[in-house]
Amino acid sequence: NQSISNASSTNVQFDSAPITRLVTWSGGDNTKLTIGASGLFFYGFTFSFDGGSGYREANILKNGVALLETRIATAAGETTLHGVTDEEEFASGDYLQLQVKHNHGSAINLRLASLFAGFIGA
């Protein structure tokens, strides 16, 4: 649960992560998911915003640069729940971040979000 200001790209701060060997939270930074081996990975995100007018946007950043972007329009009063997956070659040490944005007109709550990556092979 994180309050997101209007029209402001905001890195999602995660409060937990499953135990994993190849994908870990970056030391002390709960916005960065670090890749621990080079190879092909599937990756993606889900997010849910409170209802309201305007668009909802989520972007995955790879090493601080946009990698995967999505924007959806919402109807007034409708709670947004959306997810996207893809695959990509990553190098050991690359990191992913989930960044969200909306234009509701005032701050609204991001109710839940996930950012994930899984190793497919070398």
Side-chain angles (χ1 to χ4, degrees), residues 39-102:
L40 183 63
F41 284 75
F42 68 90
Y43 68 97
F45 65 86
T46 60
F47 69 93
S48 177
F49 271 105
D50 280 349
S53 61
Y55 67 78
R56 306 294 184 265
E57 181 177 299
N59 305 307
I60 291 183
L61 308 178
K62 175 184 172 186
N63 302 326
V65 178
L67 176 65
L68 180 66
E69 302 175 350
T70 186
R71 180 183 282 193
I72 55 176
T74 60
E78 180 180 301
T79 299
T80 305
L81 177 60
H82 192 67
V84 174
T85 60
D86 205 349
E87 61 184 44
E88 176 86 11
E89 290 275 340
F90 293 117
S92 180
D94 284 346
Y95 66 88
L96 303 176
Q97 292 174 292
L98 179 60
Q99 196 172 73
V100 295
K101 185 177 181 179
H102 68 85

Side-chain angles (χ1 to χ4, degrees), residues 23-35 93-96:
V23 181
T24 58
W25 292 110
S26 202
D29 188 344
N30 65 346
T31 70
K32 293 180 179 177
L33 193 62
T34 302
I35 303 297
D94 284 346
Y95 66 88
L96 303 176

Side-chain angles (χ1 to χ4, degrees), residues 9-23:
S9 294
T10 305
N11 290 335
V12 175
Q13 297 178 19
F14 293 95
D15 60 7
S16 65
I19 297 171
T20 175
R21 294 179 62 199
L22 296 178
V23 181

